Amino acid sequence: MTKIKTPLRQDPSSKPHSPASVDPPPAGDRPDAVPVRTHAWFTPWLLCLPAIVFLLVFNLWPALNGLVLAFTDAKLLTGGEFTGLENFGQMLGDDQLASALLNAVVYLAVCLPVLLLLPLGLALLVEKKLPGITFFRTVFYTPVVASAVVVGLIWTWLLDDSGAINSMAKNLGFISDSIPFLTDRWLVIFSAITLTIWKGLGYYMVIYLSALGSVPPELHEAAAVDGAGAWRRFWAVTVPGVRNTMLLVAVLITVGALRVFSELYILTNGTGGAGGDSSSVVMLIQMYARGFSGNLGYASALSLLLFFVTLGPLLVLARINRVKP
């Protein structure tokens, strides 16, 4: 017959074995205690002081000064007097400003959908583990790290009347006269738009790549099990997963398109466009503000107008962001 062993009973008088019951080591064997350092109440403010000074001097003060100058007839050397809304009334009859605003709307209408969707498609493509995909990632991102001046000079060499594209088209017999890519008003705008899109593809592709990494692959697997095809999974899983990133990209594109300057400045060699007319609001501001006789008052009023023109689309995008998917 097998005997069943009963567990040993613990003596209630004995102390339970726990870390708290371990006796502390003798004072001579303990390591040296680290002294607790205390800081003065102003130490955090002292650390933030350089950033606060930079913000006040280079951001807040110029903004407030520009707001005041917008209501004056200030010049660079002669100062100015308060003129009320005269500068804003002058805008109503400014044909150059109307042309620049129209160019900005066209710039935004083309750049926004192209740069919103094409980098997402590239990100989906380079996200796949295919042979040689690292080479294509590098190629797509190379324009981002290239200097804007160098890129503009290369595109000027391509699009000039005697540039590579016109010379090749003439030699092949496609055209007899050069295409005025850099002298016609609308061809200059679309050349600058092409340059902006080419340079921005890699930048926004990287942003989308980081967003796609946060989309759980289980959602794609579950949708595939339910019979959803690639197109259906793109709209039902991928787009909702990167929705916030798409709104961020839309904001960046909107601000960049309305404030475009470097592309147009380089492609037109600083002339501002066909006939010397400024092609963007920023170029118009630069034209009025430069020189010793620059009209700082009107240039500041244009800056204020550009601020509100940029603020409008941003408020629309913020409103869309509040809508629940």
Side-chain angles (χ1 to χ4, degrees), residues 71-95:
F71 298 93
T72 66
D73 58 352
K75 308 292 182 184
L76 185 62
L77 299 178
T78 59
E81 297 179 355
F82 180 75
T83 57
L85 300 176
E86 183 178 337
N87 289 327
F88 299 95
Q90 184 181 346
M91 292 181 189
L92 299 177
D94 193 339
D95 295 334

Side-chain angles (χ1 to χ4, degrees), residues 87-130:
N87 289 327
F88 299 95
Q90 184 181 346
M91 292 181 189
L92 299 177
D94 193 339
D95 295 334
Q96 275 192 300
L97 176 60
S99 175
L101 289 175
L102 178 61
N103 293 338
V105 172
V106 173
Y107 217 97
L108 178 62
V110 178
C111 285
L112 183 58
V114 174
L115 282 178
L116 193 64
L117 298 177
L118 196 55
L120 178 58
L122 287 178
L124 291 172
L125 179 64
V126 302
E127 187 189 29
K128 300 182 182 300
K129 296 180 180 178
L130 300 175

